[in-house]
Amino acid sequence: MSKDQRNQHPNANLSPDPNTDRGPGPVPWIVMKFGGTSVSSADRWNTISEQVRLHLEDGYGVVVVVSALSGVTNLLNRLCGSPDSAQRDEIIGKIELRHSALWDSLELAPSALFSQLWQQFVALAGNRPEGRSPAAHAELLSFGERLSSALGASVLAPLGCVLQDAGRMLQIVEIPNQSDRQKFLASRCDDRVDSDLAARLAAEGRVHLTQGFIATDSAGATCLLGRGGSDSSAAYLAARLQAALLEIWTDVPGMFSADPRVVPDARLLQQLSFSEAQELASMGASVLHPPSIKPVQARGIPISIRDTTRPDQPGTRIEARSQSSEAQVKGVVSRNNIVVIEMDNPAMWRQAGFLADSFAVFKEFGISVDLIATSESTVTVTLDPDSSIEDELFSDFLEKLSLLTRVQLKTHCVSISLVGNAIRTMLGQLSGALDVFQDRQVHMVTQSANDLNLTLVVGEEHAEQLVQKLHSLLITAAADLRNDLGPSWLELTLPADVRVKSAPWWYERADALHGLMSERDSAFVYHLETARAAARRLQALDSISRVLYSIKANHHPALLAALAQEGLGFECVSLAEVLHVLDCVPDIKAREILFTPNFAPREEYARAMDLGVTLTIDSLHPLRYWPELFAGHELFLRVDLDAGYGHHKKVITAGAGSKFGIPIDHLPEAASLLAAQGARVVGLHTHSGSGVTHAGAWREQLQRLVPLLGQFPKVRVLDLGGGLAVPERPRQSAMDLEVMDQELHALVRAQNSALGSGREIEVWMEPGRYLAAESGVLLARVTQLKTKGDYHYVGLATGMNSLIRPALYGAYHHVVNLSALERQPDRRYRVVGPICESGDVIGEARLLPECAEGDLMLVSNAGAYGRVMSSSYNMRPPAEELILDS
Ligand code: LLP
């Protein structure tokens, strides 16, 4: 590497002047920790060697701390369970294979030390599992790191690397009354500066490698630092050596403003203060093990989070910085598997000592509390998700607590935290975001005493969408105005070839699209094959007997014809939609149309009955006041199951706040009114909302419908409505259809065998978005560009008059410059339309290649709820519709 290149090294500003002869004096140390994936391939070890070498060149001594090869700790954990001897041999075989494959790809032979350790491990693993104490578990689990460090020492041998036993460098702090489990499996270490250790290492060499995760007690027994504990090992060592820097090398390019798996456009946090990083890590950002910050913070040692797969990226730097007084949200982070305990005791009001008594029970069982909220008679707490407790002990704990107060337990919750500065002063700004919690049950809200976080605890089924929404409102929307935010995860990780590989249909068909648009300024284009493919995916589901297309999403005649050809039926919400289907699909039989009106006038019901379509009734009014219309007919009833889902509160269609459906307790009246007319209920229908990503939502609906079958002996069909979400952003994962299918299939089978012969239930679904959204794009030419204040605007020939979803729901639609597909994006634009409303924004802060007047811009996922919701506002007609059928 040339000197120029070295100056661009991400830690260049830290390097001592390489031209200065360092002379005698203490060695400045850098501690580098490499996680499981970072030590699992020959390529990564090349990176490790290279990075160590760079630090040596810069005059530092280096201590490398390694985790076990990825997956090995999980395998070891299984060994600590009670595998039978065949399972045990299989696990040992897998661990052996992981290591031998790596030795092979490194083109090295296992060292004598490694082979010796392997023998010890096999002997230990062969011991009978009964009676294995936490101490014995710790010993067994420590072999993951012992083996990987022996291997690493061989790889780094050419750099003069000395293998150090972590147990000789890190001693645990023994806490009185600590359980054996805590002591041996989740200890904390002494982090006082140890100049003897620094001197010993300096005397032995410049490069050392040691195991993460492992320490010893005063008697020399192996103790572990808990899951993710290698970060902590490295932090303790950095503190003890008074290092110049702690580097945490992992497989993501730093800490982000949200989990990139949930929010792919989460932004890199380039710089954080220790307390911000602590808060993010503690509240769920999994890149850094939370206990690893304190030891280095106390000595002002900066942390640099780096990516072993992208060593040229600067990552995130955490250092002592005066806390910015500016109120802003740094991240939206979440933690899963939260357990909420609600202690409700009306007598507690003004009763001295109630809290002390209750918490004494927590203490007795070693259960640590994480969040806490109190009211006059209720105390709600969440349990520290890191502290695990055995089931039996937990039942004893609950029993004992119940002696003092009424206890309610809620599991499978998620905590979502807004982390940032002066969060309290931001409550006004937060109100827009918190809006998304309307209609969701929020189990608890807490605000940290240090004013760094505001946390909401909700059911896990709502978590992803809430995180996405909060992130886009609180971070993406203002991202351009902040210089503390780096590029998005997508930008950092989306190399051009991946973009092509996972390309949507329009990427391949860009030329055809340009051709269609040669004389046009704007148009929706629908690719029929994409819609057909979606139909085939749904038709292939085992659990669903019939798929109806909900034409409100897009009623283009060519789309209806294509979906009819795939064998789909249709669901309509107005008489006009019914007539349109009869018109566009001449072969269709009227009864194959399901008509699901809501607050429609009487005439529409009367015409529907005359036409012979299948009618769904969603209110008692028609039954009470126009019963004669339904005499002798077969009908569906739409039930409000009181559990709504959806991408926005405006599209949640169940629950007391929604105008749809008949509540369960009104069903008996509906049944008797229909019976009086000799009408039969043959289907129960429900639809919880739209844009639902939670695969379990439909199972829940079915579980709630099934008990109603007893009231309606003629019911053959349970229609679970639509709602299936599609991914909105590039590389966002799709909803897991397979999980939904399996869950539904199992339930239907069980139900049909319970019903016995003569009665079989079919499950139907009626999606709109899933079939139409991805098949459509909105194309529009660039009209003008403008830079004003901090914003670069790119103006399109059409806007909210064609696509109102961003303005109405804050919906995300990906925007691409189709005239510059091969050019690197390099500027953030606010993408707007020509309508006289400040809300006419199609996309905020979109990274695009430089745009010019006349460029053709593409807005993706515009096939559903695009043109059908358009208007001619400002007397600007919406974009016309074109078909691409090849
Ligand atoms: N069935 C019924 C009874 C419905 O009300 C709806 C949608 C569907 C099926 C189809 O839902 P889908 O599979 O498309 O989610 N304009 C909003 C969506 C409103 C959906 C209204 N009902 C949007 O642009 O997101």
Side-chain angles (χ1 to χ4, degrees), residues 550 552 638 647 687 690 723 766-769 805 809 865 869:
S550 180
K552 61 179 80 60
R638 176 167 178 173
H647 69 80
H687 172 76
S690 190
E766 48 187 50
R769 183 190 316 273
R805 302 190 71 251
Y809 313 119
Y865 306 110
M869 293 177 74

Side-chain angles (χ1 to χ4, degrees), residues 145-220:
E145 276 70 13
R146 291 191 200 283
L147 292 166
S148 68
S149 62
L151 183 150
S154 292
V155 185
L156 298 187
L159 296 172
C161 175
V162 183
L163 179 62
Q164 298 288 346
D165 181 356
R168 277 189 68 203
M169 300 192 285
L170 291 180
Q171 279 74 49
I172 65 157
V173 177
E174 298 191 33
I175 300 165
N177 300 330
Q178 192 178 21
S179 71
D180 266 9
R181 268 180 78 81
Q182 273 175 331
K183 173 179 162 183
F184 286 105
L185 300 173
S187 255
R188 299 275 184 266
C189 287
D190 184 356
D191 63 359
R192 281 170 303 179
V193 174
D194 183 348
S195 39
D196 290 348
L197 174 64
R200 173 168 77 80
L201 294 189
E204 290 178 20
R206 283 273 145 98
V207 181
H208 302 270
L209 183 142
T210 192
Q211 311 81 32
F213 195 44
I214 302 176
T216 44
D217 68 3
S218 51

Side-chain angles (χ1 to χ4, degrees), residues 91-340:
I91 297 171
I92 295 176
K94 282 188 179 158
I95 297 177
E96 185 172 26
L97 194 65
R98 299 276 292 110
H99 289 89
S100 61
L102 183 53
W103 280 110
D104 287 350
S105 64
L106 287 160
E107 297 179 4
L108 289 174
S111 61
L113 173 67
F114 182 90
S115 308
Q116 196 186 335
L117 277 169
W118 182 256
Q119 297 306 327
Q120 284 175 20
F121 165 63
V122 174
L124 199 64
N127 287 346
R128 291 175 63 75
E130 290 86 31
R132 265 200 200 138
S133 60
H137 279 180
E139 196 56 47
L140 194 56
L141 288 172
S142 73
F143 271 87
E145 276 70 13
R146 291 191 200 283
L147 292 166
S148 68
S149 62
L151 183 150
S154 292
V155 185
L156 298 187
L159 296 172
C161 175
V162 183
L163 179 62
Q164 298 288 346
D165 181 356
R168 277 189 68 203
M169 300 192 285
L170 291 180
Q171 279 74 49
I172 65 157
V173 177
E174 298 191 33
I175 300 165
N177 300 330
Q178 192 178 21
S179 71
D180 266 9
R181 268 180 78 81
Q182 273 175 331
K183 173 179 162 183
F184 286 105
L185 300 173
S187 255
R188 299 275 184 266
C189 287
D190 184 356
D191 63 359
R192 281 170 303 179
V193 174
D194 183 348
S195 39
D196 290 348
L197 174 64
R200 173 168 77 80
L201 294 189
E204 290 178 20
R206 283 273 145 98
V207 181
H208 302 270
L209 183 142
T210 192
Q211 311 81 32
F213 195 44
I214 302 176
T216 44
D217 68 3
S218 51
T222 298
C223 299
L224 303 179
L225 307 185
R227 217 56 220 255
S230 295
D231 287 357
S232 299
S233 298
Y236 291 130
L237 280 172
R240 286 175 79 73
L241 296 171
Q242 187 65 283
L245 175 69
L246 167 62
E247 288 183 346
I248 303 284
W249 288 82
T250 172
D251 53 2
V252 288
M255 269 175 126
F256 283 81
S257 55
D259 180 346
R261 285 165 301 187
V262 178
V263 183
D265 57 348
R267 303 285 286 262
L268 178 68
L269 299 167
Q270 303 180 116
Q271 271 212 328
L272 291 168
S273 69
F274 283 115
S275 36
E276 288 164 347
Q278 178 74 63
E279 206 68 18
L280 284 165
S282 308
M283 301 320 285
S286 54
V287 178
L288 198 58
H289 193 220
S292 54
I293 296 172
K294 279 272 150 14
V296 286
Q297 177 176 15
R299 305 201 160 64
I301 302 167
I303 306 176
S304 175
I305 300 179
R306 303 284 303 280
D307 184 348
T308 326
T309 59
R310 300 173 192 86
D312 52 325
Q313 293 290 334
T316 297
R317 196 173 165 86
I318 303 166
E319 58 199 346
R321 240 182 339 110
S322 57
Q323 196 71 44
S324 153
S325 53
E326 200 186 335
Q328 62 184 196
V329 177
K330 291 273 175 186
V332 182
V333 285
S334 60
R335 284 179 305 175
N336 296 333
N337 287 327
I338 299 286
V339 175
V340 177

